[in-house]
Coordinates of all heavy atoms in Angstrom, one line a residue:
M1 N -51.5 68.0 76.4 CA -52.0 66.7 76.7 C -50.8 65.9 77.2 O -49.7 66.1 76.8 CB -52.5 66.1 75.4 CG -53.8 66.5 75.0 SD -54.5 65.5 73.6 CE -55.9 66.5 73.1
V2 N -51.1 65.0 78.2 CA -50.1 64.1 78.6 C -50.7 62.7 78.6 O -51.9 62.5 78.5 CB -49.7 64.4 80.1 CG1 -49.0 65.8 80.1 CG2 -50.8 64.4 81.0
G3 N -49.8 61.7 78.7 CA -50.2 60.3 78.7 C -50.6 59.7 77.4 O -50.8 60.5 76.4
R4 N -50.4 58.4 77.3 CA -50.6 57.8 76.0 C -52.2 57.6 75.9 O -52.9 57.7 76.9 CB -50.0 56.3 76.0 CG -50.5 55.5 77.1 CD -49.7 54.1 77.1 NE -50.2 53.3 78.2 CZ -51.3 52.5 78.2 NH1 -52.0 52.5 77.1 NH2 -51.7 51.8 79.3
E5 N -52.5 57.4 74.6 CA -53.9 57.2 74.4 C -54.3 55.8 74.9 O -53.6 54.8 74.8 CB -54.2 57.3 72.9 CG -54.3 58.7 72.4 CD -55.0 58.8 71.0 OE1 -55.9 58.2 70.7 OE2 -54.4 59.5 70.1
V6 N -55.5 55.7 75.5 CA -56.0 54.3 75.9 C -57.3 54.1 75.2 O -58.0 55.0 74.7 CB -56.2 54.4 77.5 CG1 -54.9 54.3 78.1 CG2 -57.0 55.6 78.0
S7 N -57.7 52.8 75.1 CA -58.9 52.3 74.4 C -60.0 52.3 75.4 O -59.9 51.9 76.6 CB -58.6 51.0 73.8 OG -59.9 50.5 73.4
P8 N -61.2 52.8 74.9 CA -62.4 52.7 75.8 C -62.6 51.2 76.2 O -63.2 51.1 77.4 CB -63.5 53.2 74.9 CG -62.9 54.0 73.8 CD -61.5 53.5 73.7
A9 N -62.2 50.3 75.5 CA -62.4 48.9 75.8 C -61.6 48.5 77.0 O -61.9 47.4 77.5 CB -62.0 48.1 74.6
D10 N -60.7 49.2 77.4 CA -59.8 48.9 78.5 C -60.6 49.2 79.9 O -60.1 48.8 80.9 CB -58.5 49.7 78.6 CG -57.6 49.3 77.4 OD1 -57.8 48.2 76.8 OD2 -56.7 50.0 77.1
H11 N -61.7 49.8 79.8 CA -62.4 50.2 81.1 C -63.1 49.0 81.6 O -63.7 48.2 80.8 CB -63.3 51.4 80.9 CG -63.5 52.1 82.2 ND1 -64.4 51.6 83.2 CD2 -63.0 53.2 82.7 CE1 -64.4 52.4 84.3 NE2 -63.5 53.4 84.1
Q12 N -63.1 48.8 82.9 CA -63.6 47.6 83.5 C -65.2 47.7 83.6 O -65.8 46.5 83.6 CB -63.1 47.4 84.9 CG -63.5 48.4 86.0 CD -63.1 48.1 87.3 OE1 -63.3 46.9 87.7 NE2 -62.6 49.0 88.1
H13 N -65.8 48.8 83.5 CA -67.2 48.9 83.6 C -67.9 49.0 82.2 O -67.6 49.9 81.5 CB -67.7 50.0 84.4 CG -67.3 49.9 85.9 ND1 -67.6 48.8 86.6 CD2 -66.6 50.8 86.7 CE1 -67.2 49.0 87.9 NE2 -66.4 50.1 87.9
K14 N -68.9 48.1 81.9 CA -69.5 48.1 80.6 C -70.1 49.5 80.3 O -70.0 49.9 79.2 CB -70.6 47.0 80.6 CG -71.2 46.8 79.3 CD -72.2 45.5 79.3 CE -72.9 45.3 78.1 NZ -74.1 46.3 78.1
E15 N -70.9 50.0 81.3 CA -71.7 51.3 81.0 C -70.7 52.3 80.6 O -71.0 53.2 79.8 CB -72.4 51.7 82.2 CG -73.6 50.7 82.6 CD -73.1 49.7 83.6 OE1 -72.0 49.3 83.6 OE2 -74.0 49.2 84.4
I16 N -69.6 52.4 81.3 CA -68.6 53.5 81.1 C -67.9 53.2 79.8 O -67.7 54.2 79.0 CB -67.6 53.6 82.3 CG1 -68.4 54.0 83.6 CG2 -66.5 54.7 82.0 CD1 -67.6 54.1 84.8
R17 N -67.6 51.9 79.4 CA -66.9 51.7 78.2 C -67.9 52.2 77.1 O -67.4 52.7 76.0 CB -66.8 50.1 77.9 CG -65.6 49.5 78.6 CD -65.2 48.2 78.0 NE -66.3 47.2 78.1 CZ -66.6 46.3 79.1 NH1 -65.8 46.4 80.1 NH2 -67.6 45.5 79.0
E18 N -69.1 52.0 77.1 CA -70.0 52.3 76.1 C -70.0 53.9 75.8 O -70.0 54.3 74.7 CB -71.4 51.8 76.3 CG -71.4 50.3 75.8 CD -72.6 49.5 76.1 OE1 -73.6 50.1 76.7 OE2 -72.5 48.3 75.7
V19 N -70.1 54.6 77.0 CA -70.1 56.1 76.8 C -68.7 56.6 76.3 O -68.7 57.4 75.4 CB -70.6 56.7 78.1 CG1 -69.3 57.2 79.0 CG2 -71.5 58.0 77.7
L20 N -67.7 55.9 76.7 CA -66.4 56.3 76.1 C -66.3 56.0 74.7 O -65.7 56.8 73.9 CB -65.3 55.6 77.0 CG -65.0 55.9 78.5 CD1 -64.1 55.1 79.1 CD2 -64.7 57.4 78.6
K21 N -66.8 54.9 74.3 CA -66.7 54.6 72.8 C -67.5 55.5 72.0 O -67.0 55.9 70.9 CB -67.3 53.1 72.6 CG -66.4 52.0 72.8 CD -67.0 50.7 72.5 CE -66.4 49.6 73.2 NZ -67.2 48.3 73.3
R22 N -68.7 55.9 72.6 CA -69.5 56.9 71.8 C -68.7 58.3 71.6 O -68.7 58.9 70.7 CB -70.8 57.2 72.4 CG -71.8 56.0 72.3 CD -73.3 56.4 72.4 NE -73.6 57.1 73.6 CZ -73.9 56.6 74.8 NH1 -74.0 55.4 74.9 NH2 -74.2 57.4 75.8
L23 N -68.0 58.7 72.7 CA -67.4 59.9 72.7 C -66.1 59.8 71.7 O -65.8 60.8 71.0 CB -66.9 60.4 74.1 CG -68.2 60.9 74.9 CD1 -67.7 60.9 76.4 CD2 -68.7 62.2 74.4
V24 N -65.3 58.8 71.8 CA -64.1 58.6 71.0 C -64.6 58.6 69.6 O -63.9 59.1 68.6 CB -63.4 57.4 71.5 CG1 -62.3 57.0 70.4 CG2 -62.7 57.7 72.8
A25 N -65.8 58.0 69.2 CA -66.2 57.9 67.9 C -66.6 59.2 67.3 O -66.5 59.5 66.1 CB -67.5 56.9 67.8
V26 N -66.9 60.2 68.2 CA -67.2 61.6 67.6 C -66.0 62.5 67.7 O -66.2 63.7 67.6 CB -68.4 62.2 68.2 CG1 -69.7 61.4 67.9 CG2 -68.3 62.4 69.7
G27 N -64.8 62.0 68.1 CA -63.6 62.7 68.1 C -62.9 63.0 69.4 O -61.9 63.7 69.4
W28 N -63.5 62.6 70.5 CA -62.9 62.9 71.8 C -61.7 62.0 71.9 O -61.6 61.0 71.3 CB -63.8 62.6 73.0 CG -64.9 63.6 73.2 CD1 -65.9 63.9 72.3 CD2 -65.0 64.5 74.3 NE1 -66.7 65.0 72.8 CE2 -66.2 65.3 74.0 CE3 -64.3 64.7 75.4 CZ2 -66.7 66.3 74.9 CZ3 -64.8 65.7 76.3 CH2 -65.9 66.5 76.1
T29 N -60.6 62.5 72.6 CA -59.5 61.8 72.8 C -59.4 61.3 74.2 O -59.8 62.1 75.1 CB -58.3 62.6 72.5 OG1 -58.3 63.2 71.3 CG2 -56.9 61.9 72.7
L30 N -59.0 60.0 74.4 CA -59.0 59.4 75.8 C -57.5 59.1 76.0 O -56.9 58.4 75.3 CB -59.8 58.1 75.7 CG -59.9 57.4 77.0 CD1 -60.5 58.1 78.2 CD2 -60.7 56.1 76.8
R31 N -57.0 59.6 77.2 CA -55.6 59.4 77.6 C -55.5 58.9 78.9 O -56.3 59.2 79.8 CB -54.8 60.8 77.4 CG -54.6 61.1 75.9 CD -53.8 62.4 75.8 NE -53.7 62.7 74.4 CZ -52.7 62.2 73.5 NH1 -51.8 61.4 74.1 NH2 -52.8 62.5 72.2
K32 N -54.4 58.1 79.1 CA -54.1 57.7 80.4 C -53.7 58.7 81.3 O -52.6 59.5 81.0 CB -52.9 56.6 80.2 CG -52.6 55.8 81.5 CD -53.6 54.8 81.8 CE -53.5 54.4 83.3 NZ -54.8 54.0 83.9
E33 N -54.4 59.0 82.3 CA -54.0 60.1 83.2 C -54.7 60.0 84.5 O -55.8 59.5 84.6 CB -54.4 61.5 82.5 CG -53.7 62.7 83.0 CD -54.2 63.9 82.3 OE1 -54.2 63.9 81.0 OE2 -54.5 64.9 82.9
G34 N -54.2 60.5 85.5 CA -54.9 60.4 86.8 C -55.1 59.1 87.3 O -54.3 58.2 87.1
H35 N -56.3 58.8 87.9 CA -56.6 57.6 88.5 C -56.8 56.4 87.4 O -56.6 55.4 87.5 CB -57.8 57.6 89.3 CG -57.7 58.5 90.6 ND1 -56.7 57.9 91.5 CD2 -58.1 59.6 91.0 CE1 -56.7 58.9 92.5 NE2 -57.6 59.9 92.2
W36 N -57.4 57.0 86.2 CA -57.6 56.0 85.1 C -57.3 56.7 83.8 O -56.5 56.3 83.1 CB -59.0 55.5 85.1 CG -59.1 54.3 84.1 CD1 -58.6 53.0 84.3 CD2 -59.5 54.3 82.7 NE1 -58.8 52.3 83.1 CE2 -59.3 53.0 82.2 CE3 -60.1 55.3 81.9 CZ2 -59.7 52.7 80.8 CZ3 -60.5 55.0 80.6 CH2 -60.3 53.8 80.1
G37 N -58.1 57.8 83.5 CA -58.0 58.4 82.2 C -58.6 59.7 82.3 O -59.2 60.2 83.1
R38 N -58.4 60.5 81.1 CA -59.1 61.8 80.9 C -59.5 61.9 79.5 O -58.7 61.6 78.5 CB -57.9 62.9 81.3 CG -58.6 64.4 81.3 CD -57.6 65.3 81.8 NE -57.3 65.3 83.2 CZ -58.1 66.0 84.2 NH1 -59.1 66.8 83.7 NH2 -57.8 65.9 85.3
L39 N -60.7 62.5 79.4 CA -61.2 62.7 78.0 C -60.9 64.1 77.6 O -61.0 65.0 78.4 CB -62.7 62.6 78.0 CG -63.3 61.2 78.0 CD1 -64.7 61.1 78.5 CD2 -63.2 60.6 76.6
Y40 N -60.5 64.4 76.3 CA -60.2 65.7 75.8 C -61.2 66.0 74.7 O -61.4 65.1 73.9 CB -58.8 65.8 75.3 CG -57.7 65.8 76.3 CD1 -57.3 64.5 76.9 CD2 -57.1 66.9 76.7 CE1 -56.3 64.5 77.9 CE2 -56.1 66.9 77.7 CZ -55.9 65.7 78.3 OH -54.8 65.7 79.3
C41 N -61.8 67.1 74.7 CA -62.9 67.3 73.8 C -62.4 67.5 72.4 O -61.2 67.5 72.1 CB -63.7 68.6 74.2 SG -62.9 70.2 73.8
T42 N -63.3 67.7 71.4 CA -63.0 67.7 70.0 C -62.5 69.1 69.4 O -62.1 69.1 68.4 CB -64.3 67.3 69.2 OG1 -65.3 68.3 69.5 CG2 -64.9 66.0 69.6
C43 N -62.6 70.1 70.2 CA -62.1 71.3 69.9 C -60.5 71.5 69.6 O -59.9 70.7 70.5 CB -62.5 72.5 70.8 SG -64.2 72.6 71.2
A44 N -60.1 72.2 68.8 CA -58.6 72.3 68.6 C -58.0 72.9 69.9 O -57.0 72.4 70.3 CB -58.3 73.2 67.5
E45 N -58.7 73.8 70.5 CA -58.2 74.4 71.8 C -58.3 73.5 73.0 O -57.7 73.7 74.0 CB -58.9 75.7 72.1 CG -58.9 76.7 71.0 CD -59.9 76.4 69.9 OE1 -61.0 75.9 70.3 OE2 -59.7 76.9 68.8
G46 N -59.2 72.4 72.9 CA -59.4 71.6 73.9 C -60.0 72.3 75.1 O -59.6 72.4 76.2
C47 N -61.3 72.8 74.9 CA -62.0 73.6 75.9 C -62.4 72.9 77.1 O -62.5 73.4 78.1 CB -63.2 74.4 75.2 SG -64.7 73.3 75.0
L48 N -62.5 71.5 77.0 CA -63.0 70.7 78.0 C -62.3 69.4 78.1 O -61.9 68.7 77.2 CB -64.5 70.4 77.8 CG -65.3 69.9 78.9 CD1 -65.5 70.8 80.0 CD2 -66.7 69.5 78.3
T49 N -61.9 69.2 79.4 CA -61.4 67.8 79.7 C -62.2 67.2 80.9 O -62.7 67.9 81.7 CB -59.8 67.8 80.1 OG1 -59.7 68.4 81.4 CG2 -59.1 68.6 79.1
I50 N -62.3 65.9 80.9 CA -63.1 65.2 81.8 C -62.4 64.1 82.4 O -62.0 63.2 81.7 CB -64.5 64.7 81.2 CG1 -65.3 65.8 80.5 CG2 -65.4 64.0 82.3 CD1 -66.4 65.2 79.6
P51 N -62.1 64.1 83.7 CA -61.4 62.9 84.3 C -62.4 61.8 84.4 O -63.6 61.8 84.6 CB -61.2 63.4 85.8 CG -62.1 64.5 86.1 CD -62.5 65.1 84.7
V52 N -61.8 60.5 84.0 CA -62.6 59.3 84.0 C -62.1 58.4 85.1 O -60.9 58.0 85.2 CB -62.4 58.6 82.6 CG1 -63.2 57.3 82.6 CG2 -62.8 59.5 81.5
P53 N -62.8 58.1 86.0 CA -62.4 57.2 87.2 C -62.3 55.8 86.8 O -63.0 55.3 85.8 CB -63.6 57.4 88.2 CG -64.8 57.7 87.4 CD -64.3 58.4 86.3
G54 N -61.5 55.1 87.4 CA -61.1 53.7 86.9 C -62.2 52.7 87.6 O -62.4 51.7 87.0
T55 N -62.8 53.1 88.6 CA -63.7 52.4 89.2 C -64.9 53.2 89.7 O -64.7 54.4 89.8 CB -63.2 51.6 90.5 OG1 -62.8 52.6 91.5 CG2 -62.0 50.6 90.3
A56 N -66.1 52.6 89.8 CA -67.2 53.4 90.2 C -68.2 52.5 90.9 O -68.4 51.4 90.6 CB -68.0 53.9 88.9
K57 N -68.7 53.1 92.1 CA -69.7 52.3 92.8 C -71.0 52.1 92.0 O -71.6 51.1 92.1 CB -70.1 53.2 94.1 CG -69.1 52.9 95.2 CD -69.9 53.2 96.6 CE -68.9 53.0 97.8 NZ -68.4 54.2 98.2
N58 N -71.3 53.2 91.2 CA -72.5 53.1 90.4 C -72.1 53.5 88.9 O -72.2 54.6 88.5 CB -73.6 54.1 90.9 CG -74.8 54.0 90.2 OD1 -74.9 53.6 89.0 ND2 -75.9 54.4 90.9
P59 N -71.7 52.4 88.2 CA -71.1 52.7 86.8 C -72.2 53.4 85.9 O -71.8 54.2 85.1 CB -70.7 51.4 86.3 CG -70.5 50.5 87.5 CD -71.6 51.0 88.5
G60 N -73.5 53.0 86.1 CA -74.4 53.6 85.3 C -74.5 55.2 85.4 O -74.6 55.9 84.5
R61 N -74.5 55.5 86.8 CA -74.5 56.9 87.1 C -73.3 57.6 86.6 O -73.4 58.8 86.0 CB -74.8 57.2 88.5 CG -74.9 58.7 88.8 CD -75.7 58.9 90.2 NE -74.8 58.2 91.3 CZ -75.3 57.9 92.4 NH1 -76.5 58.1 92.8 NH2 -74.4 57.3 93.3
T62 N -72.1 57.0 86.8 CA -70.9 57.7 86.3 C -70.9 57.8 84.9 O -70.5 58.8 84.3 CB -69.7 56.8 86.8 OG1 -69.8 56.7 88.2 CG2 -68.3 57.4 86.4
A63 N -71.4 56.9 84.1 CA -71.4 56.9 82.6 C -72.3 58.1 82.2 O -72.0 58.9 81.3 CB -72.0 55.7 82.0
R64 N -73.6 58.2 82.9 CA -74.5 59.3 82.5 C -73.9 60.7 82.8 O -74.0 61.7 82.1 CB -75.8 59.1 83.3 CG -76.6 58.1 82.7 CD -78.1 58.1 83.3 NE -78.1 57.9 84.8 CZ -78.1 56.8 85.2 NH1 -78.1 55.7 84.6 NH2 -78.3 56.7 86.6
N65 N -73.1 60.8 84.0 CA -72.4 62.0 84.2 C -71.3 62.3 83.2 O -71.2 63.5 82.8 CB -71.7 61.9 85.6 CG -72.6 62.0 86.7 OD1 -73.8 62.5 86.6 ND2 -72.3 61.6 87.9
L66 N -70.6 61.4 82.8 CA -69.6 61.7 81.7 C -70.3 62.1 80.4 O -69.8 63.1 79.9 CB -68.9 60.3 81.4 CG -67.8 59.8 82.4 CD1 -67.4 58.4 82.0 CD2 -66.8 60.8 82.7
A67 N -71.4 61.5 80.1 CA -72.1 61.9 78.8 C -72.7 63.4 79.0 O -72.6 64.3 78.1 CB -73.3 61.0 78.6
R68 N -73.2 63.7 80.2 CA -73.7 65.0 80.5 C -72.7 66.1 80.4 O -72.8 67.1 79.8 CB -74.4 65.1 81.8 CG -75.5 66.1 81.9 CD -76.0 66.2 83.4 NE -75.1 66.4 84.3 CZ -75.0 65.7 85.5 NH1 -75.9 64.8 85.8 NH2 -74.0 66.0 86.4
R69 N -71.5 65.8 81.0 CA -70.4 66.8 81.0 C -69.9 67.0 79.6 O -69.4 68.0 79.3 CB -69.3 66.3 82.0 CG -69.7 66.4 83.5 CD -68.5 66.1 84.4 NE -67.5 67.2 84.3 CZ -66.5 67.1 85.0 NH1 -66.2 66.1 85.8 NH2 -65.5 68.1 84.9
A70 N -69.8 65.8 78.8 CA -69.4 66.0 77.5 C -70.2 67.0 76.7 O -69.7 67.7 75.7 CB -69.4 64.6 76.8
K71 N -71.5 67.2 77.0 CA -72.3 68.1 76.3 C -72.0 69.5 76.6 O -72.4 70.4 75.8 CB -73.8 67.9 76.7 CG -74.4 66.5 76.2 CD -75.9 66.6 76.2 CE -76.5 65.4 75.6 NZ -76.5 64.2 76.6
L72 N -71.2 69.7 77.6 CA -70.7 71.2 77.9 C -69.8 71.7 76.9 O -69.5 72.9 76.9 CB -70.2 71.3 79.3 CG -71.2 70.9 80.5 CD1 -70.5 70.9 81.8 CD2 -72.3 71.8 80.5
C73 N -69.1 70.7 76.1 CA -68.2 71.3 75.1 C -69.1 71.9 74.0 O -69.9 71.2 73.4 CB -67.4 70.2 74.5 SG -66.5 70.7 73.0
P74 N -68.9 73.2 73.8 CA -69.9 73.9 72.8 C -69.7 73.4 71.3 O -70.6 73.6 70.6 CB -69.6 75.4 73.0 CG -68.2 75.4 73.5 CD -68.0 74.1 74.3
L75 N -68.6 73.1 70.9 CA -68.1 72.9 69.5 C -68.3 74.2 68.8 O -69.1 75.0 69.1 CB -69.0 71.8 68.8 CG -68.8 70.4 69.3 CD1 -69.9 69.5 68.6 CD2 -67.5 69.9 69.0
P76 N -67.5 74.4 67.8 CA -67.6 75.7 67.0 C -69.0 75.8 66.3 O -69.6 74.7 65.9 CB -66.6 75.5 66.0 CG -65.7 74.3 66.3 CD -66.5 73.5 67.2
E77 N -69.5 77.0 66.1 CA -70.6 77.3 65.3 C -70.6 76.6 64.0 O -69.5 76.7 63.3 CB -70.8 78.8 65.1 CG -71.2 79.6 66.3 CD -72.7 79.6 66.6 OE1 -73.5 78.9 65.8 OE2 -73.1 80.1 67.6
G78 N -71.6 75.9 63.5 CA -71.5 75.4 62.2 C -70.9 74.0 62.1 O -71.0 73.3 61.2
D79 N -70.4 73.5 63.2 CA -69.8 72.1 63.3 C -71.0 71.1 63.2 O -72.0 71.3 63.9 CB -69.1 71.8 64.6 CG -68.3 70.5 64.6 OD1 -69.0 69.5 64.4 OD2 -67.1 70.5 64.7
P80 N -71.0 70.2 62.1 CA -72.2 69.4 61.9 C -72.5 68.5 63.2 O -73.6 68.0 63.3 CB -71.8 68.5 60.7 CG -70.2 68.7 60.6 CD -69.9 70.0 61.2
R81 N -71.6 68.3 64.1 CA -71.8 67.5 65.2 C -72.5 68.2 66.4 O -72.9 67.7 67.3 CB -70.5 66.9 65.8 CG -69.8 66.0 64.7 CD -68.4 65.7 65.2 NE -67.7 67.0 65.3 CZ -66.4 67.2 65.7 NH1 -65.7 66.0 65.9 NH2 -65.8 68.3 65.7
R82 N -72.5 69.6 66.1 CA -73.1 70.5 67.2 C -74.5 70.2 67.3 O -75.4 70.2 66.3 CB -72.8 71.8 66.8 CG -73.1 72.9 67.9 CD -72.7 74.3 67.4 NE -73.5 75.3 68.2 CZ -72.9 76.1 69.1 NH1 -71.6 76.1 69.2 NH2 -73.7 76.9 69.7
A83 N -75.0 70.0 68.6 CA -76.5 69.8 68.8 C -77.2 71.2 68.9 O -76.5 72.2 69.2 CB -76.6 69.1 70.1
P84 N -78.5 71.2 68.6 CA -79.2 72.4 68.8 C -79.0 72.8 70.3 O -79.2 72.0 71.2 CB -80.7 72.0 68.5 CG -80.6 70.7 67.8 CD -79.3 70.1 68.2
G85 N -78.7 73.9 70.6 CA -78.5 74.4 71.9 C -77.0 74.1 72.5 O -76.7 74.4 73.6
G86 N -76.2 73.6 71.6 CA -74.8 73.4 72.0 C -74.4 72.1 72.5 O -75.3 71.3 72.9
G87 N -73.3 71.7 72.3 CA -72.8 70.4 72.8 C -72.8 69.4 71.7 O -73.6 69.5 70.7
V88 N -72.0 68.3 71.9 CA -72.1 67.3 70.9 C -73.1 66.3 71.2 O -73.5 66.1 72.5 CB -70.7 66.5 70.8 CG1 -70.4 65.8 72.2 CG2 -70.5 65.6 69.7
V89 N -73.7 65.7 70.3 CA -74.8 64.7 70.5 C -74.1 63.3 70.8 O -73.4 62.8 70.0 CB -75.7 64.5 69.3 CG1 -76.9 63.7 69.6 CG2 -76.2 65.9 68.8
V90 N -74.3 62.7 71.9 CA -73.8 61.3 72.2 C -75.0 60.4 72.5 O -76.0 60.8 72.9 CB -72.8 61.3 73.1 CG1 -71.4 61.9 72.7 CG2 -73.2 61.9 74.4
Ligands
LIG1 ZN1 -64.5 71.8 73.3

């Protein structure tokens, strides 16, 4: 991991702030990296990272894409946050 942690509240788009807040609340880490930031999943190994753009033409769609990609993190078997069929529920 590189970069300092950043707050979801620092994002300029409300829709993206809300999805970032939900992910950070379930354990994702948000760090300053690239154009704006990068999300790191909840696994110890960090199986998944998601780049977060600082600006978006369509913030609602970008927010939905972030949430959808976050579901690709499988989480360990038996993790209470694991959704049926895999992925974290956000
Ligand atoms: Zn993961």
Side-chain angles (χ1 to χ4, degrees):
M1 285 192 194
V2 295
R4 64 184 173 82
E5 281 195 48
V6 284
S7 167
D10 292 344
H11 205 282
Q12 65 170 319
H13 295 305
K14 180 172 179 284
E15 294 93 331
I16 295 175
R17 279 202 303 274
E18 282 175 358
V19 93
L20 293 175
K21 274 183 203 162
R22 291 206 303 274
L23 289 169
V24 168
V26 295
W28 286 67
T29 304
L30 180 62
R31 285 180 186 273
K32 184 78 198 145
E33 198 181 314
H35 293 296
W36 190 80
R38 183 176 289 270
L39 282 160
Y40 290 82
C41 78
T42 60
C43 307
E45 303 80 28
C47 76
L48 188 65
T49 72
I50 306 171
V52 181
T55 58
K57 276 206 180 100
N58 185 332
R61 183 162 61 199
T62 301
R64 284 192 298 279
N65 283 342
L66 291 170
R68 200 185 59 223
R69 288 187 66 181
K71 289 196 176 78
L72 297 175
C73 168
L75 291 175
E77 289 278 358
D79 189 302
R81 296 164 304 178
R82 189 179 158 111
V88 69
V89 189
V90 288

